[in-house]
Amino acid sequence: MSRDPTTLAADEEPRVEAEVKRAAVRQLLAGGPFAESLHILLVSVVAALVWNSLPIEVTIGWVGAVAAAAGLRAWWRVRARGRSLSADEALRGVRLTVAGVGLAWGFGAASAIPALGLDQAALILVVVAGIVAGATGTLVGDRRSFHYLLITVLAPLPIGILLQGHSRPHLLAIVLIAMFVWGMDRVHGRAHRTFAERVRAAALLERSTEELARQHAYLDALIASTPVAIAVLDDQRSVRSVNAAFEGLFGYAADEVIGAGIDGLIVPESLRSESSDLETRVRRGEIVRVEVERMRKDGRHIQVRLSAAAVHAAADGALVALYEDISDRKAAEAAMREARDLAERVARARSAFLANMSHEIRTPMNAVLGFVELVLDTELAPEQRRALELVRTSSEALLTILNDILDYSKIEAEHLELESIPFDLPKVVHATATLLAVRAREKHLELTVDVPPDVPQMVRGDPTRLRQVLMNLIGNAIKFTEQGEVDVSASIIQRDGDRAAVQFRVRDTGIGISEDQLGTIFQEFTQADASMTRRYGGTGLGLAISRRLVALMAGELAVTSEVGRGSEFSFALTFPLEAGAQATARAAVSLGGRRLLVVDDNETNRRIVRDMLGAEGMAVHEASRADAGLEALRRAARARTPYDLAILDAQMPDQDGFELATAIRADRALTATRLLILTSAGQRGDGERCRQLGIQAYLTKPIARADLVEAVGTVLAGTASAPGAADLVTRHSIAESRHALRILLAEDNAVNQQVATAMLLKRGHHVDVASNGREAVDAVAREPYDVILMDIQMPEMDGFEATEQIRGLPQGRSLPIIALTAHALSGERERCLARGMSGYLAKPFKAHDLFAAVEGRGAQPADTAATRSPAVDLAAFRRTMEEAGAADAVDGILETFVATLPQRLEALVAAAGGTEAEPLHRAAHAFKSAAGTIGAGHLAALLEEMERAAQGGNLAGARDKLEHVRGEAQAALDYIRTAPKGGGDA
């Protein structure tokens, strides 16, 4: 592994500095006795020159001091060479001996100069200067040693010169000495830096050389030990080197292949042209990876994976080739192909057998079940009927087992394919539970279904397989539950653009599953009850199939359970939303602000009803017992805030729903309260009993939200009936009330045609399409229609002209014609009505708005759509909050408004029922403030009118606006619920 030069230099810096210090010591200790002898020779020459001018004792003392210092230095240097001194110890010795020599010269010269003349003193200065100059080379390794010599030699000289005299030559000499000191220090500093850099460069070069050699050795060892065969080729395709793996793979020794051509060694003759093509690709710069056939020394052919690349750093055009033996893998692949082919043949044979078996079993089973049904419709003795019922039950059980086995076989063989079609998700959940409601009623179980309003209605997926999973889970829950309830729920857990993730749960209060069995519950032919008694029956395939189906739909089936407390199975699936087909359940009248009491001993049922109808703006109150419910009704009546509707559970302890209804109808104060019965166990004669008690509606659980909302709206749209005179609202009467209409859609835009047609067909209506006004007129003249949806802007003949001509036809004079236009401007509705149209709908429209328009239910939604602003100006509200720095609070404020709207409407209704105007004034003012804050301008304007009327004492005028306020509050509620969170309007 190579190292960066900069990193290498940084890592080696301490070693390099140590090497510089060692080199300095070697330099300082270099030289022989000649260096010290030179000092003795120089001092002797100087002594001879000044012998007659100096006292003899001064001359002898000077010469003796220099000789002694030089001898001491020579002796220490010889001794230091023979000992292993550290660099620091050696430097200390050098500095001391250099200082000794310098002191001998400096003080000797300083003592001699006062007794000499200027010429002789100048001679001494020249000699001393030469010694210092020579030291710049001999002491180049250590700056401090040189400074010791410089100071000890030259510092005493100015004293001697001043003792000689103070004339101008003397002062000039001192200045020259100072300049000489400065110059010599600069010269030595430069020489020392040059010496240190030279030593440092040599040390780094040595370390780099060692590192390069180490890397070369590492790479050679790496190549030699790698388990992949490697060959390096030159530009003539001759082998330059190979590793041990190459020798082992192809059977050659290294000396046999080096220098030989690679083609002649390992490439079969029939593949050599292909090998040349591969080389050409490599030399163009491509890295080649191919699986090829090569030849060993013994002639045996082997399969290898060849990887080849050019060595760009090599100037001689070298290539490196790697050979990996894949013979074992190829053999395994061949074995796998054979096994796969065998498995496919077995699967085809099994599928054919299952198909034949299914046909052979279903054909007689169909005859058995068909004739049993026919015979059961005839007059039979009780014993005969019991026997035939047993035959039918056993046949259906056998058919269920057959279906499970076939489904499991399809899943195992991976032949089961999922559909992707649009379907009504809440309807599938409710319809599946409804199919099993009879079994739940037979065991006196409470079967509840909870699908909140925010769960998307139209999605795309496989409804059949979803229904199969839910049927299995709900059926198991009913089977293993002896008392209590089975709760089925679907809730949205994430919504991202055009996709939604929905969590499905099936919870029961049955026998539960032990921890030991939880690990095997999803295995084939396994049940929670695996005892010899086999009390519950079944194949044990249902959960295994359900888990496989959920996995195929990109989900995971999970279970939590406690023995004796029950179990909960859950799974989450992600569905694409079906664009333009999300409809909202609509009531025949606005439910906003209406007061509702739910009387049910089951908390889950109360919560489901509360969520379903609370989302429509109703103020929902609850009671868990019949006596508590009756007292709540009477208390509300005494407070002059009676409940508009009471929903009663038919099966309650102590006092059932029918008994409670009897008590309610016996109380004159409660005669205006409408009643709706929910039952889990419908009995023959319940309908007549409801009519006799004056109950307005009778529905069986589980109930779909759309059916409940429509039933409540239908009940509230009517009047409270006397006992025996009620027109009972049932699930069948709701369905029958939606009679199919023959509708003509005049629209030139193909996309708009498809959207409106899909919505109306889903609703059960018949739709004909005309692409322009001319075709619409011709269609009306030719066929009878219940209603016309007329686009305004169309080619050939626009909507206004077509309406005028239709009105001129005998069958078109009273025919409802609803305008469709994208011009949602103020005055557009009035213009359409003035041109002979019956109603108005602004595009884009929602499904419930379209249904309300064509079916003539409720107020026309176009009233609000035709204005410039929506029911709630959320964009303006968000801008205001953003300017205040509180944009994050918008969604929380809207949620609070939605949650408190039923209570505000309830307070408004209660105040309107009183005799004082002040409570109504306060309630309208508070409601107006909240509506105005979030941008519900229409609602705030109506409330302001109500507030002014109440403030002026016009209580009747204020009450007249209550229904308008309810309608506008419902519109605001719908708008907020459909608007996306975090910004933008719906």
Side-chain angles (χ1 to χ4, degrees):
M1 179 176 170
S2 63
R3 297 171 64 189
D4 181 68
T6 305
T7 305
L8 177 64
D11 293 344
E12 297 295 333
E13 186 62 27
R15 294 186 183 182
V16 171
E17 290 301 324
E19 181 61 32
V20 171
K21 187 177 287 187
R22 287 193 294 271
V25 171
R26 288 195 298 271
Q27 189 272 331
L28 293 171
L29 296 179
F34 175 76
E36 283 71 27
S37 301
L38 184 61
H39 284 282
I40 297 173
L41 177 62
L42 285 175
V43 77
S44 299
V45 171
V46 172
L49 292 175
V50 298
W51 185 265
N52 296 324
S53 303
L54 281 177
I56 188 65
E57 61 273 11
V58 174
T59 304
I60 293 174
W62 188 11
V63 173
V66 172
L72 179 63
R73 174 168 168 74
W75 172 81
W76 181 86
R77 187 161 53 184
V78 172
R79 187 167 176 269
R81 288 174 182 169
R83 297 175 60 190
S84 298
L85 298 177
S86 66
D88 291 336
E89 290 175 335
L91 286 175
R92 280 198 299 271
V94 169
R95 290 164 184 167
L96 288 174
T97 55
V98 167
V101 173
L103 288 172
W105 273 105
F107 279 99
S111 61
I113 287 175
L116 300 175
L118 283 176
D119 54 343
Q120 290 177 320
L123 177 64
I124 291 174
L125 291 177
V126 170
V127 173
V128 171
I131 293 172
V132 171
T136 59
T138 57
L139 299 179
V140 70
D142 185 36
R143 288 281 288 162
R144 190 177 295 181
S145 296
F146 179 76
H147 287 153
Y148 283 3
L149 180 67
L150 192 65
I151 293 171
T152 54
V153 171
L154 298 180
L157 295 181
I159 299 173
I161 293 173
L162 291 175
L163 289 175
Q164 189 185 50
H166 297 79
S167 63
R168 182 178 298 174
H170 293 94
L171 297 178
L172 183 61
I174 293 172
V175 172
L176 290 175
I177 289 171
M179 293 179 61
F180 179 75
V181 169
W182 177 78
M184 287 298 99
D185 182 64
R186 293 285 301 275
V187 170
H188 183 269
R190 188 177 295 110
H192 175 73
R193 285 192 296 274
T194 302
F195 169 79
E197 290 300 325
R198 186 177 67 251
V199 173
R200 183 177 286 104
L204 285 175
L205 179 61
E206 182 181 0
R207 294 298 302 161
S208 298
T209 303
E210 293 174 357
E211 177 68 17
L212 185 60
R214 187 189 69 79
Q215 291 176 13
H216 284 168
Y218 175 77
L219 290 174
D220 290 342
L222 191 67
I223 292 173
S225 61
T226 186
V228 178
I230 300 176
V232 179
L233 312 179
D234 60 18
D235 56 351
Q236 301 299 317
R237 294 174 57 76
S238 298
V239 179
R240 291 174 51 181
S241 64
V242 296
N243 66 345
F246 184 93
E247 299 177 33
L249 178 61
F250 293 104
Y252 290 99
D255 55 357
E256 292 181 273
V257 298
I258 293 177
I262 192 69
D263 286 348
L265 292 172
I266 65 172
V267 181
E269 189 170 354
S270 61
L271 300 177
R272 289 180 182 175
S273 60
E274 178 187 342
S275 177
S276 299
D277 294 339
L278 293 177
E279 180 192 4
T280 303
R281 288 167 56 190
V282 172
R283 294 199 181 278
R284 286 203 301 261
E286 183 180 349
I287 298 176
V288 173
R289 296 183 180 89
V290 293
E291 294 180 359
V292 296
E293 186 180 274
R294 288 296 180 258
M295 183 174 60
R296 288 172 48 85
K297 181 180 179 180
D298 58 11
R300 183 165 60 89
H301 288 210
I302 57 173
Q303 295 289 328
V304 298
R305 187 175 190 270
L306 169 63
S307 302
V311 182
H312 297 294
D316 56 356
L319 303 178
V320 60
L322 284 73
Y323 301 90
E324 184 180 357
D325 188 2
I326 59 172
S327 301
D328 292 341
R329 195 193 81 193
K330 288 292 185 180
E333 288 177 355
M336 287 178 62
R337 281 194 298 272
E338 292 179 6
R340 184 194 61 200
D341 294 342
L342 177 60
E344 288 177 351
R345 290 195 299 272
V346 171
R348 285 194 295 270
R350 181 172 61 178
S351 298
F353 169 75
L354 289 173
N356 292 332
M357 183 187 73
S358 174
H359 174 75
E360 294 301 327
I361 295 177
R362 285 173 186 272
T363 301
M365 284 291 294
N366 180 60
V368 170
L369 285 171
F371 279 110
V372 166
E373 290 292 337
L374 290 173
V375 176
L376 283 172
D377 287 337
T378 64
E379 293 293 331
L380 296 171
E383 188 64 31
Q384 292 173 323
R385 184 170 295 277
R386 279 196 299 272
L388 287 173
E389 289 284 1
L390 182 60
V391 172
R392 182 177 65 177
T393 303
S394 300
S395 300
E396 289 174 347
L398 181 60
L399 197 58
T400 301
I401 293 171
L402 175 64
N403 289 334
D404 283 349
I405 293 173
L406 289 175
D407 279 341
Y408 185 75
S409 299
K410 286 180 182 178
I411 294 171
E412 280 289 292
E414 298 183 354
H415 289 166
L416 191 144
E417 296 181 359
L418 297 177
E419 288 184 315
S420 180
I421 60 174
F423 69 95
D424 189 324
L425 179 58
K427 186 175 181 180
V428 166
V429 177
H430 280 285
T432 305
T434 302
L435 289 173
L436 296 166
V438 174
R439 287 171 53 185
R441 286 197 290 270
E442 289 174 352
K443 298 184 70 173
H444 303 288
L445 300 176
E446 193 76 46
L447 177 59
T448 62
V449 180
D450 183 13
V451 183
D454 60 348
V455 173
Q457 183 168 352
M458 296 304 298
V459 298
R460 181 172 286 275
D462 192 332
T464 303
R465 295 306 173 185
L466 175 61
R467 185 183 297 109
Q468 182 177 352
V469 174
L470 290 175
M471 283 280 285
N472 186 273
L473 297 180
I474 299 170
N476 280 349
I478 295 172
K479 180 198 298 185
F480 294 105
T481 303
E482 294 303 322
Q483 60 181 357
E485 66 179 23
V486 174
D487 179 35
V488 183
S489 66
S491 59
I492 190 156
I493 56 177
Q494 185 178 0
R495 193 162 189 156
D496 184 14
D498 59 349
R499 301 179 70 83
V502 180
Q503 179 89 16
F504 299 89
R505 287 188 176 90
V506 177
R507 179 182 58 83
D508 63 61
T509 56
I511 63 174
I513 307 169
S514 67
E515 286 202 21
D516 294 338
Q517 292 170 323
L518 280 176
T520 61
I521 195 67
F522 293 111
Q523 293 180 5
E524 298 82 356
F525 312 107
T526 302
Q527 277 193 338
D529 171 37
S531 64
M532 290 296 291
T533 59
R534 299 287 292 141
R535 174 183 177 187
Y536 296 100
T539 62
L541 279 176
L543 286 178
I545 292 172
S546 297
R547 190 175 207 183
R548 297 288 189 93
L549 289 176
V550 170
L552 285 174
M553 292 185 283
E556 181 179 2
L557 182 59
V559 59
T560 58
S561 184
E562 184 177 347
V563 175
R565 300 289 297 273
S567 306
E568 180 181 294
F569 289 83
S570 62
F571 60 95
L573 300 178
T574 300
F575 297 101
L577 301 180
E578 190 65 10
Q582 304 302 325
T584 304
R586 300 291 294 182
V589 297
S590 173
L591 303 183
R594 298 301 184 101
R595 287 167 53 79
L596 166 69
L597 178 67
V598 181
V599 185
D600 196 320
D601 63 304
N602 186 281
E603 183 181 356
T604 305
N605 277 336
R606 297 198 305 271
R607 176 178 56 80
I608 291 172
V609 174
R610 182 183 68 236
D611 292 346
M612 286 181 175
L613 297 179
E616 296 298 318
M618 295 193 76
V620 183
H621 299 257
E622 302 174 33
S624 60
R625 293 170 54 87
D627 53 357
L630 183 59
E631 178 57 30
L633 289 168
R634 288 171 174 168
R635 189 167 53 250
R638 288 195 298 270
R640 302 186 64 180
T641 56
Y643 288 101
D644 298 290
L645 174 67
I647 296 180
L648 314 178
D649 182 33
Q651 291 81 32
M652 289 188 290
D654 301 330
Q655 190 177 20
D656 65 22
F658 290 105
E659 293 171 346
L660 177 57
T662 303
I664 293 172
R665 287 294 176 243
D667 192 330
R668 290 187 176 183
L670 304 178
T671 54
T673 302
R674 297 166 177 83
L675 301 179
L676 185 153
I677 286 282
L678 281 178
T679 180
S680 299
Q683 303 293 328
R684 189 178 297 274
D686 279 353
E688 183 58 31
R689 192 177 179 187
C690 288
R691 291 186 182 89
Q692 293 301 322
L693 289 173
I695 296 171
Q696 280 76 22
Y698 176 85
L699 300 172
T700 56
K701 294 182 284 187
I703 182 70
R705 176 175 174 269
D707 290 342
L708 181 60
V709 170
E710 192 156 354
V712 169
T714 303
V715 169
L716 293 177
T719 58
S721 305
D727 290 328
L728 190 63
V729 176
T730 65
R731 193 192 300 267
H732 300 294
S733 69
I734 292 172
E736 290 169 359
S737 67
R738 300 176 189 152
H739 63 280
L741 299 175
R742 188 176 181 87
I743 301 170
L744 175 64
L745 172 64
E747 168 68 68
D748 65 309
N749 185 284
V751 175
N752 291 340
Q753 289 176 359
Q754 293 176 12
V755 170
T757 301
M759 290 180 179
L760 294 169
L761 290 177
K762 183 68 179 178
R763 190 69 169 179
H765 301 304
H766 177 78
V767 183
D768 290 336
V769 177
S771 298
N772 55 59
R774 175 70 62 194
E775 292 181 7
V777 174
D778 294 343
V780 172
R782 187 172 59 250
E783 300 285 347
Y785 290 100
D786 297 304
V787 65
I788 299 175
L789 294 172
M790 181 73 72
D791 186 28
I792 300 300
Q793 292 182 326
M794 291 184 291
E796 293 194 37
M797 182 184 293
D798 63 23
F800 290 140
E801 186 178 350
T803 300
E804 184 178 352
Q805 293 197 19
I806 290 172
R807 291 298 184 215
L809 298 173
Q811 62 269 45
R813 291 173 186 170
S814 59
L815 184 61
I817 301 176
I818 299 169
L820 296 179
T821 177
H823 294 293
L825 303 175
S826 207
E828 186 70 11
R829 178 177 182 274
E830 290 72 17
R831 189 162 72 100
C832 292
L833 296 177
R835 298 294 293 269
M837 294 181 170
S838 312
Y840 168 89
L841 192 62
K843 293 185 286 189
F845 46 78
K846 293 184 173 62
H848 60 79
D849 292 333
L850 178 62
F851 299 154
V854 299
E855 294 168 4
R857 294 184 293 106
Q860 289 291 349
D863 291 341
T864 55
T867 60
R868 287 179 179 271
S869 59
V872 183
D873 192 352
L874 289 182
F877 179 45
R878 291 187 188 278
R879 284 196 301 271
T880 302
M881 296 299 286
E882 287 171 1
E883 292 170 1
D888 293 341
V890 170
D891 291 331
I893 293 172
L894 293 175
E895 289 173 3
T896 301
F897 179 83
V898 170
T900 59
L901 188 141
Q903 287 78 14
R904 294 184 185 278
L905 278 174
E906 184 179 355
L908 205 62
V909 171
T915 57
E916 299 293 330
E918 181 58 26
L920 184 57
H921 169 257
R922 288 198 304 269
H925 177 78
F927 200 175
K928 178 196 74 173
S929 177
T933 299
I934 67 164
H938 304 298
L939 178 59
L942 283 173
L943 288 165
E944 186 175 6
E945 294 176 9
M946 178 181 281
E947 179 189 6
R948 282 201 301 268
Q951 189 175 18
N954 184 7
L955 195 57
R959 286 173 180 156
D960 290 341
K961 301 184 184 301
L962 187 57
E963 284 302 319
H964 295 289
V965 169
R966 276 178 169 164
E968 195 58 50
Q970 184 65 47
L973 193 66
D974 290 343
Y975 188 85
I976 293 173
R977 284 208 305 264
T978 57
K981 289 188 176 183
D985 291 351

